[in-house]
Amino acid sequence: MTTPRRLVASISLALVFPAPLATQQSPFTIEQVMGAPFPDELTAAPTGGAVAWVFNTRGARNIWVAAPPDYAGRVVTAYAEDDGQEVGDLRWTPDTRAIVFVRGGSPNEKGEYPNPHSLVAGVEQAVWVVPVAGGSPRRIGEGHAPAVSPKGDHVALLRRGQVWWASLADTLPAEQLIHARGTARSLRWSPDGSKLAFVSDRGDHAFVAVYDVATKTLRFLDPSVDSDADPVWSPDGRRIAFLRNPAGAEGLPFTPQRAGQPWSIRVAEVASGAGRQVWIADSGPGSVFREVVADNQIRWGAGNRIVFPWEKDGWTHLYAVPVDGGRAALLTPGGFEVEHVRMSPDGATMVFSSNQDDIERRHIWKVSVSGGPPTALTRGADLEWTPVMTGDGRGVAFIRAGPRMPPRPVILLGPGGGTPRDLAPGAIPSDFPEAALVDPQPVLFPAADGMTIHGQLFVPRGIKTGDRRPAVIFFHGGSRRQMLLGWHYFYYYRNAYALNQYLASRGYVVLSVNYRSGIAYGMEFREALHYGAQGASEFNDVLGAGLYLRNRPDVDPKRIGLWGGSYGGFLTALGLARASDLFAAGVDLHGVHDWNIEIQNWVPAYDPAKQAEAAKLAYESSPLAYVKDWRSPVLLVHGDDDRNVQFSQTVQLTAALRTQRVDVEQLIFPDDIHDFLTHAHWVAAYEAAAAFFQRRLGRTP
């Protein structure tokens, strides 16, 4: 393992490298189970059949490509260090000869870029371009969110909320293209490359704007007091469709929102700026917009049909409506949720992942934008996500994983489907412990208030009748997440799944809990009453999980621990604070400990003094409100440049627990963020967690 360059901890380095248990030798290390490269950013070339993705291999992030006919993946960049610098926002040039990308993370509110190695020379977030055939990347300029012109001559990008652009034909520096009020986002070129649409966010409202390259003029489309988003061009470049969310519709974050003022879809004429409403959501369920994972939330499909997500029936589905208006047609009926969505190059087909007929997994489906039953492209015990149709329309590429086999990019060729072809078959290291992993089992258990909760149970091998093992409960973050019966599509939860497998290999019974306010079980489960800052009703699920394990014959009821990160850290802390008699110890990674502080992180205008009733309930829903009842030891892990959960939350909790004489251990990563940017920090955190549980919950048989 690569040791972090700066590591502050109140635990000794011996705990970061725990000795094997005397009575049960682990068949693999945390380094090994986290050693497979993680694929992400899968994208298809605009023409031909090539695809590209990013492999994160022990912290070294590189772009790979695979092209027909052999689809043999190869690397096109050569970054070799676990340097904490992200690679993403991949954009093909129209001629498919190069890929534009971003290297480096986004700045915090002070404008500081994430620098987890504390490099004194500093770091940046910049746009680069690299030839697909090979060669060194060329820096285009500081910024992010690149949008390559269909003409292939320029790339637009965002820098400090303003629109810049640079030539792809020469090495002249990028220059600011538009000087405008507000914060720009969602850059969208017109089909002919003559105009650039974007969203101008003004705080309590947002406009869709169009910049004309030839005349150097800016026009706002159908402006209002509302917040417009996700512009999409018509194929002829004369109109733009976009979403409109009504002013004042957003409630406080981390509270249930089952209904609100309805959102709508509008279409505007680019030449005049005049707009009209094409469709509006019904009141009640679905009136609050629910997004999917897509490059744009609405798409202009074949036959002039707008495709969009809606949860009218309480499930996130795809619908289509004619551009001229009319009733929305449901494309994906059933009790399941659509998640990762892409449109085919010809606009006739949507490819997507969902949990249809398999609620604890993801599989790939396709459906015509004109309607008809969806067709399954994958089934079985594996999981598949992020589908993209190739530019020539002959294949669908996606990421595939299993309960043991880690995620890897594959492609399904031909109209008849068949067996997916692995795009990088040699990428998995030879020492990856696939054979030593266990298959998690789906379980259902009652929460303390009777609600049925889903989970995955990792049962260690070799348990004999009469064995009473220590157990650990894992809570994901989000809370808009779902853990699955296999490796996860988020890097953060790929890592969490690895630790759960490692703990099972060490003899722990591990329960991963999909608590209320998570996704994939419908709107009412996700928008659970009194969840989060409005009552912390998820604590019922924490208690239910503990009681479920306590009543299992293979679990020692006095040795049950908790762990989780972010929202999962909140539930870990809440469980320890309110039920130390049930939970013996916990590992809390960057958890929320006071909802009033966390809400201000997302809504700066939130003033607890002016919303006294909501603030009182938010505090009573927080672990800090129950710290006087907290007795169980805890390991706190946090990066002090966290932009999601303020580092002050861990500072505040530590001080409060010390006053109560609770045994607190800490592992702090200076200059790292919420989702640790270095592989070394992830390994250090997880090895410290495993050692903590070994000492606090005792040895396994």
Side-chain angles (χ1 to χ4, degrees):
M1 187 196 82
T2 303
T3 305
R5 297 188 183 185
R6 292 179 64 191
L7 187 62
V8 178
S10 63
I11 57 179
S12 70
L13 287 178
L15 299 183
V16 180
F17 300 92
L21 293 174
T23 56
Q24 178 174 322
Q25 180 68 40
S26 175
F28 56 85
T29 66
I30 289 178
E31 178 71 49
Q32 286 175 316
V33 77
M34 294 179 64
F38 182 78
D40 202 5
E41 297 279 339
L42 184 64
T43 183
T47 59
V51 295
W53 68 93
V54 173
F55 256 152
N56 181 344
T57 306
R58 290 186 167 97
R61 300 163 171 90
N62 282 290
I63 298 172
W64 285 59
V65 298
D70 57 350
Y71 280 104
R74 58 181 178 83
V75 64
V76 298
T77 56
Y79 301 112
E81 301 297 325
D82 178 20
D83 56 11
Q85 298 307 301
E86 297 176 279
V87 172
D89 280 352
L90 273 57
R91 302 289 185 267
W92 289 84
T93 56
D95 61 8
T96 72
R97 294 180 179 179
I99 294 174
V100 176
F101 65 98
V102 174
R103 190 162 192 266
S106 299
N108 59 22
E109 61 182 8
K110 297 179 180 179
E112 300 166 336
Y113 292 119
N115 185 11
H117 278 319
S118 308
L119 300 175
V120 295
V123 296
E124 67 169 359
Q125 183 184 52
V127 177
W128 296 71
V129 61
V130 62
V132 171
S136 299
R138 176 174 66 85
R139 182 181 181 276
I140 292 175
E142 182 184 6
H144 65 103
V148 179
S149 168
K151 295 180 179 180
D153 56 347
H154 283 83
V155 56
L157 55 99
L158 297 177
R159 182 186 298 179
R160 297 184 180 88
Q162 293 294 308
V163 181
W164 291 58
W165 76 340
S167 172
L168 289 173
D170 55 47
T171 59
L172 293 175
E175 60 181 1
Q176 189 166 348
L177 181 65
I178 302 169
H179 295 76
R181 291 180 57 240
T183 300
R185 54 181 168 84
S186 303
L187 303 179
R188 305 286 188 265
W189 284 101
S190 62
D192 64 359
S194 66
K195 298 177 179 65
L196 179 67
F198 63 96
V199 173
S200 178
D201 193 331
R202 307 297 177 92
D204 58 1
H205 62 286
F207 303 136
V208 172
V210 175
Y211 175 78
D212 189 307
V213 175
T215 63
K216 298 183 179 180
T217 56
L218 192 66
R219 180 187 297 279
F220 295 101
L221 304 184
D222 190 22
S224 75
V225 300
D226 302 312
S227 292
D228 298 337
D230 291 282
V232 60
W233 289 87
S234 63
D236 61 10
R238 296 180 179 180
R239 293 173 289 178
I240 288 179
F242 55 91
L243 298 181
R244 173 160 290 176
N245 286 295
E250 293 186 0
L252 288 178
F254 311 109
T255 61
Q257 298 182 54
R258 293 189 172 187
Q261 298 181 52
W263 59 280
S264 61
I265 298 174
R266 300 182 69 83
V267 171
E269 300 292 331
V270 174
S272 67
R276 59 182 173 81
Q277 181 175 288
V278 171
W279 176 89
I280 187 169
D282 296 336
S283 298
S287 55
V288 177
F289 182 73
R290 167 64 179 164
E291 66 181 16
V292 291
V293 182
D295 52 5
N296 210 69
Q297 292 300 308
I298 61 174
R299 297 304 302 264
W300 198 301
N304 282 329
R305 298 176 67 82
I306 303 295
V307 181
F308 60 94
W310 189 27
E311 53 180 4
K312 168 63 179 175
D313 62 356
W315 299 88
T316 305
H317 284 302
L318 294 180
Y319 288 76
V321 65
V323 171
D324 293 332
R327 292 182 59 84
L330 174 60
L331 300 180
T332 57
F336 62 91
E337 301 212 328
V338 169
E339 190 164 15
H340 305 94
V341 179
R342 289 291 183 93
M343 179 175 277
S344 63
D346 61 5
T349 304
M350 305 302 296
V351 290
F352 60 94
S353 71
S354 80
N355 61 347
Q356 182 173 354
D357 304 326
D358 200 349
I359 201 164
E360 311 291 350
R361 295 185 177 90
R362 299 290 185 274
H363 297 302
I364 307 300
W365 296 72
K366 67 177 181 179
V367 67
S368 171
V369 300
S370 61
T375 301
L377 299 181
T378 65
R379 295 184 185 275
D382 282 348
L383 306 93
E384 301 88 20
W385 58 84
T386 59
V388 294
M389 190 169 287
T390 57
D392 58 11
R394 297 179 179 178
V396 177
F398 48 90
I399 309 298
R400 189 179 202 184
R404 303 184 191 184
M405 174 65 78
R408 69 273 189 201
V410 300
I411 191 166
L412 195 61
L413 296 170
T419 302
R421 180 185 301 184
D422 199 330
L423 297 178
I428 308 299
S430 59
D431 65 346
F432 181 80
E434 180 181 352
L437 305 184
V438 299
D439 293 344
Q441 302 302 312
V443 295
L444 300 173
F445 61 87
D449 62 356
M451 179 180 285
T452 299
I453 302 299
H454 295 244
Q456 300 86 41
L457 188 69
F458 298 73
V459 179
R461 297 179 180 181
I463 287 187
K464 300 177 182 178
T465 302
D467 282 353
R468 304 299 292 267
R469 299 294 183 90
V472 174
I473 302 171
F474 169 70
F475 302 107
H476 62 73
S479 63
R480 305 320 201 197
R481 303 286 185 266
Q482 180 199 27
M483 296 305 288
L484 307 168
L485 290 171
W487 292 92
H488 206 273
Y489 50 82
F490 279 136
Y491 177 66
Y492 188 106
Y493 300 109
R494 188 288 300 252
N495 294 344
Y497 185 84
L499 180 55
N500 286 337
Q501 285 281 2
Y502 177 79
L503 292 173
S505 79
R506 303 287 286 187
Y508 296 89
V509 175
V510 180
L511 176 63
S512 178
V513 178
N514 285 331
Y515 53 88
R516 72 190 72 186
S517 78
I519 63 170
Y521 304 110
M523 184 269 289
E524 291 188 357
F525 185 87
R526 188 189 72 242
E527 304 297 330
L529 298 178
H530 310 298
Y531 93 87
Q534 207 174 77
S537 59
E538 307 97 313
F539 180 64
N540 290 291
D541 311 339
V542 176
L543 282 180
L547 295 174
Y548 168 79
L549 287 180
R550 190 175 71 177
N551 292 325
R552 284 184 61 90
D554 53 1
V555 170
D556 184 340
K558 296 182 179 180
R559 295 193 291 165
I560 300 175
L562 305 175
W563 88 275
S566 192
Y567 208 105
F570 155 67
L571 291 180
T572 295
L574 197 64
L576 298 177
R578 296 180 62 177
S580 279
D581 56 336
L582 179 58
F583 303 117
V587 177
D588 171 357
L589 286 80
H590 38 242
V592 174
H593 308 132
D594 184 340
W595 278 119
N596 284 308
I597 296 175
E598 183 63 15
I599 291 172
Q600 287 179 314
N601 197 39
W602 303 98
V603 184
Y606 172 70
D607 185 350
K610 294 181 179 179
Q611 296 179 255
E613 186 174 344
K616 180 176 181 292
L617 180 57
Y619 183 74
E620 292 172 349
S621 305
S622 305
L624 274 171
Y626 306 93
V627 74
K628 290 184 178 180
D629 298 320
W630 188 321
R631 299 184 305 278
S632 299
V634 64
L635 168 62
L636 301 175
V637 184
H638 213 147
D640 89 321
D641 189 22
D642 194 329
R643 295 93 184 276
N644 296 50
V645 177
Q646 306 91 322
F647 186 71
S648 63
Q649 299 239 21
T650 291
V651 174
Q652 186 178 9
L653 179 64
T654 301
L657 291 177
R658 285 172 174 168
T659 300
Q660 297 301 121
R661 300 185 183 279
V662 173
D663 194 350
V664 181
E665 300 181 11
Q666 55 180 301
L667 181 61
I668 304 303
F669 299 116
D671 297 330
D672 210 341
I673 64 171
H674 193 69
D675 297 2
F676 304 140
L677 287 172
T678 72
H679 174 75
H681 285 172
W682 279 111
V683 173
Y686 283 176
E687 289 186 334
F692 175 85
F693 282 133
Q694 177 179 306
R695 290 182 294 104
R696 298 297 184 172
L697 300 182
R699 296 176 178 268
T700 56

